Amino acid sequence: MLSFAQRTSEWERLISPTNETLRKLYFVDKNNGWAVSLGGKIINTIDAGETWHIQNSTVTTPIVDIFFINPNRGWALTYPSEPPFGTSILKTTNGGLDWIKDSVFFENEIFTTIFF
């Protein structure tokens, strides 16, 4: 998959490590960023988008939003595409090296945004 970034006055083509459609992009600072896909992928950069790496989200369900408060601590929202419907929260405390699916499942509630 190709993405585009504007680093100077020109747009530059970036190569993603996944062919899945990326849904949301979030940078906590100029170097550390994450993007999520509808197929459960989370990709991460620590060098301002020069290189991207797939992280193990532990899910294959759509991830619709991601938010970090610093380069280590972040959350993502996911929900199943078939019943039972509802929202689960993924969390990390080490920059996405490990993602943990929270045990709370918000049944019949679909969250689309997470922000602190």
Side-chain angles (χ1 to χ4, degrees), residues 4-81:
F4 294 90
Q6 189 174 18
R7 295 203 180 113
T8 60
S9 61
E10 305 268 332
W11 283 95
E12 183 178 331
R13 186 180 291 210
L14 302 176
I15 297 175
S16 169
T18 180
N19 288 328
E20 294 184 12
T21 300
L22 300 174
R23 162 122 175 117
K24 188 74 171 199
L25 173 70
Y26 185 79
F27 272 78
V28 71
D29 57 35
K30 70 179 187 172
N31 292 314
N32 295 283
W34 293 262
V36 297
S37 80
L38 296 178
K41 293 272 192 290
I42 298 176
I43 64 171
N44 166 251
T45 182
I46 59 172
D47 57 11
E50 288 293 323
T51 58
W52 291 88
H53 305 280
I54 295 176
Q55 297 183 328
N56 182 9
S57 71
T58 70
V59 300
T60 57
T61 52
I63 301 176
V64 296
D65 199 16
I66 192 162
F67 181 78
F68 276 74
I69 58 172
N70 61 45
N72 292 313
R73 192 170 183 130
W75 298 264
L77 296 176
T78 185
Y79 52 80
S81 51

